Amino acid sequence: MREVYDIKPSELAKAQEALGKDDITSRQSVYTRTASSLGLKEDKTYLIIDGSEEAIKIADILLKNAATKIKNKDAILKKFDEIENEAAEGFGFLGI
């Protein structure tokens, strides 16, 4: 399960610390990306969590004052996946 949050840049470090201290959310994959790094013309920062349903529920609680869950996350996840796949292909080309 993956979830995308629009997070205030001023809250990012505190949010990452909170997620890292929790036993369940700390074991999930957490990514931070700016909209511009995803090729989007928005001035936003996204926190993407790839993890269990339980971890997402906990993250919702931990992030409630720092971030807003994105309703239409599919477009953001598609861009994220495209960029991650391009990066992985580049590493494969280098023989790493």
Side-chain angles (χ1 to χ4, degrees):
M1 177 173 203
R2 295 193 298 174
E3 199 58 67
V4 180
Y5 301 86
D6 177 2
I7 187 157
K8 301 170 193 167
S10 61
E11 298 290 325
L12 184 58
K14 188 170 28 171
Q16 289 174 320
E17 183 179 347
L19 292 170
K21 285 183 177 180
D22 181 81
D23 186 49
I24 295 172
T25 58
S26 65
R27 292 184 271 149
Q28 312 308 302
S29 297
V30 179
Y31 308 93
T32 305
R33 298 290 186 273
T34 60
S36 62
S37 73
L38 298 174
L40 303 171
K41 295 181 181 184
E42 301 170 337
D43 186 24
K44 295 186 176 197
T45 301
Y46 297 113
L47 189 69
I48 302 167
I49 300 177
D50 187 353
S52 68
E53 187 175 342
E54 179 183 15
I56 298 298
K57 287 178 183 179
I58 294 169
D60 287 346
I61 294 166
L62 294 174
L63 298 173
K64 72 177 179 179
N65 294 322
T68 306
K69 196 182 283 192
I70 300 292
K71 293 182 194 300
N72 186 9
K73 65 184 179 183
D74 294 336
I76 294 165
L77 289 173
K78 181 179 177 185
K79 286 287 198 179
F80 175 77
D81 290 341
E82 288 172 2
I83 291 169
E84 291 296 305
N85 288 337
E86 287 173 11
E89 288 173 10
F91 280 119
F93 180 73
L94 295 173
I96 297 176

